[in-house]
Amino acid sequence: MSTPTTYDHTTTGKKKGLLAGIAIAVACAVVCSLPLIAAGGLVAGVGAFLLGGEAVALGVVVLVGVLVGAAVWVRRRRDTAAATACGTGCGCGGRC
């Protein structure tokens, strides 16, 4: 006699849900950052073109990266402050 082929559905559903949640979070982060990356690349390219030179172009890229990073940091702090002031715990960032 052979052993029965049973399948445990309880563990795979949780794993698939976790993987789907991680994939959605990564996709959201990528899509939300694309406009900032595109704007930073455009400004860095124009700055390098206008000023010329590789060292200047690298400096412009670093400067734009710092500015974009600071803007993202400020936005996250504002959303966190709004969510804590909201007090609902709905995760809407205070916009509910």
Side-chain angles (χ1 to χ4, degrees):
M1 297 200 116
S2 63
T3 59
T5 56
T6 58
Y7 189 70
D8 185 14
H9 293 282
T10 59
T11 59
T12 56
K14 292 178 184 176
K15 287 181 185 177
K16 286 182 181 179
L18 178 65
L19 291 176
I22 291 171
I24 290 170
V26 168
C28 180
V30 168
V31 170
C32 290
S33 66
L34 284 178
L36 296 174
I37 293 171
L42 180 65
V43 170
V46 169
F49 175 74
L50 293 176
L51 298 176
E54 292 177 12
V56 174
L58 183 59
V60 170
V61 168
V62 169
L63 178 66
V64 169
V66 168
L67 290 175
V68 169
V72 169
W73 180 73
V74 167
R75 183 174 179 178
R76 285 184 183 169
R77 286 197 44 138
R78 286 183 185 166
D79 285 345
T80 303
T84 56
C86 181
T88 61
C90 64
C92 64
R95 294 183 287 270
C96 51

